[in-house]
């Protein structure tokens, strides 16, 4: 089982510290390896996040308190990861006005298909933006994009990130073409 190394991730920068804008919660500390890339993605963009274990089944009252107070603590996006029955993201979405991103955690018996279906099949009126099974990094990047809507400087950083991603992809294209060349042309 993983160890939670820190409760709040703060960006390494000279910017004045501000309350965490992204709340990252998970059903158990065994979910942390899946959610850690979300925290790292936020940190890459200078977004502080609050990291908590809050269980829909084991600590339901803590879950309610967390969801009801997150927006008052200036959290703007909640990332919720869970595995198996995976009720946490949906229950949080039913209690908060904030956008919720659900991360299905890979389970031992069903490889995360149970988590995915549980998180993604929300009733109309209570949305959860669900990423892929194990998609912690994309959850973090999506949280950053949501914050981009009201933050020009963050938007510029996201655009620079996308340019870098494209550059890396073209590098892979060049490398593959160099290695494989026209071996497969007849
Ligand atoms: C879920 O049960 C958690 O989100 C976790 O993915 C799964 C197993 O939890 P542990 O038994 O590892 O605490 O609630």
């Amino acid at each position: 089982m993983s160890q939670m190394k820190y409760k709040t991730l703060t960006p390494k920068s000279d910017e004045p510290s501000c309350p965490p804008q992204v709340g990252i919660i998970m059903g158990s500390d065994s979910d942390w390896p899946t959610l850690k890339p979300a925290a790292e993605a936020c940190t890459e963009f200078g977004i502080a996040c609050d990291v908590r274990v809050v269980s829909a089944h084991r600590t339901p009252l803590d879950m309610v308190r967390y969801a009801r107070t997150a927006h008052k603590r200036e959290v703007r996006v909640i990332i919720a990861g869970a595995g198996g029955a995976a009720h946490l993201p949906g229950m949080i979405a039913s209690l908060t006005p904030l956008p919720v991103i659900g991360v299905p955690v890979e389970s031992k018996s069903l490889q995360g298909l149970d988590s995915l279906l549980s998180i993604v099949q929300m009733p109309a009126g209570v949305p959860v933006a669900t990423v892929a099974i194990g998609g912690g990094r994309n959850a973090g990047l999506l949280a950053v994009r949501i914050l981009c809507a009201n933050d020009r400087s963050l938007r510029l950083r996201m655009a620079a990130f996308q340019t870098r991603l494209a550059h890396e992809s073209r590098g892979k294209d060049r490398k593959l073409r160099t290695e494989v060349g026209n071996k497969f042309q007849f």
Side-chain angles (χ1 to χ4, degrees), residues 1 26-28 30-31 55 57-58 81-84 105:
M1 191 172 290
M26 61 214 81
S28 174
S30 60
D31 298 329
S55 169
H57 306 115
R58 293 168 178 155
V105 172

Side-chain angles (χ1 to χ4, degrees), residues 60-162:
L61 298 181
D62 294 0
M63 176 197 69
V64 172
R65 196 177 316 120
Y66 180 93
R68 286 253 169 92
T69 58
H71 63 286
K72 297 176 190 162
R73 292 184 285 106
E74 296 191 40
V75 169
R76 292 295 168 253
V77 187
I78 297 175
I79 296 173
H87 292 131
L88 183 66
M91 287 307 299
I92 290 284
S94 74
L95 292 159
T96 179
L98 299 174
V100 176
I101 302 169
V103 185
V105 172
E106 190 172 337
S107 55
K108 283 195 190 103
S109 40
L110 295 169
Q111 291 77 49
L113 188 59
D114 44 354
S115 323
L116 172 67
L117 296 179
S118 177
I119 294 174
V120 81
Q121 291 291 352
M122 288 300 291
V126 191
V128 170
T130 308
V131 296
I133 298 167
R137 181 160 175 82
N138 264 3
L141 292 172
L142 181 55
V144 174
R145 285 188 182 213
I146 291 169
L147 296 173
C148 277
N150 281 318
D151 186 332
R152 185 173 179 276
S153 141
L154 195 55
R155 272 202 303 279
L156 292 174
R157 273 178 279 158
M158 179 53 78
F161 166 81
Q162 291 173 281

Side-chain angles (χ1 to χ4, degrees), residues 162-177:
Q162 291 173 281
T163 302
R164 261 199 326 276
L165 208 59
H167 182 73
E168 283 167 18
S169 184
R170 288 190 194 104
K172 289 173 189 173
D173 174 49
R174 273 194 302 276
K175 185 166 177 285
L176 188 68
R177 278 190 287 153

